[in-house]
C-alpha cells in the first residue's frame, strides 16, 4: 500500500457548510482503514489527511467523493508520499 497526502486549502469563499459531511466522510475512511491521519491547520486556512491506497487513481477516486472537495470551498492537491 502507498501513502498519499491530501492537502486542502480553503478558498476566500469558504463557508464551512460542508464541514460536518467532510468530518463524517473522514470518520468512514478511518473505519475502512484508508485514512492514516487527518487534521486542520491551526491558522484555519485548511488541513490535510493521509490516505493509504493501492494506487494514485484509487486515492483520486476517494477525494472526489469528499463533500468539501468543491472548488468554491477548497482546493485539493494530491501527492504520493514517501512517509514512514
Amino acid at each position: 500500500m502507498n501513502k498519499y497526502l491530501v492537502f486542502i486549502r480553503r478558498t476566500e469563499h469558504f463557508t464551512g457548510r460542508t464541514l460536518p459531511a467532510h468530518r463524517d466522510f473522514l470518520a468512514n475512511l478511518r473505519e475502512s482503514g484508508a485514512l492514516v491521519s487527518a487534521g486542520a491547520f491551526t491558522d484555519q486556512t485548511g488541513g490535510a489527511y493521509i490516505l493509504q491506497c493501492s494506487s494514485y487513481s484509487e486515492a483520486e477516486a476517494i477525494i472526489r467523493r469528499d463533500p468539501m472537495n468543491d472548488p468554491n470551498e477548497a482546493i485539493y492537491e494530491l501527492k504520493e508520499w514517501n512517509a514512514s
Side-chain angles (χ1 to χ4, degrees):
M1 292 290 236
N2 300 320
K3 290 186 179 144
Y4 298 88
L5 175 64
V6 181
F7 183 85
I8 305 164
R9 215 171 3 104
R10 293 177 178 180
T11 69
E12 62 184 27
H13 306 292
F14 181 78
T15 65
R17 67 177 170 72
T18 57
L19 273 173
H22 169 71
R23 289 182 182 126
D24 289 343
F25 176 77
L26 292 178
N28 289 333
L29 285 177
R30 187 177 304 280
E31 288 174 16
S32 76
L35 181 67
V36 175
S37 186
F41 300 140
T42 58
D43 65 2
Q44 302 300 307
T45 60
Y49 56 92
I50 302 168
L51 296 172
Q52 188 164 276
C53 303
S54 59
S55 68
Y56 188 90
S57 60
E58 181 183 351
E60 279 183 314
I62 289 171
I63 67 170
R64 275 196 301 270
R65 295 192 315 264
D66 187 333
M68 201 167 65
N69 191 357
D70 171 342
N72 293 315
E73 291 287 313
I75 306 300
Y76 276 57
E77 186 175 353
L78 177 64
K79 296 281 188 181
E80 188 168 2
W81 198 21
N82 268 341
S84 54

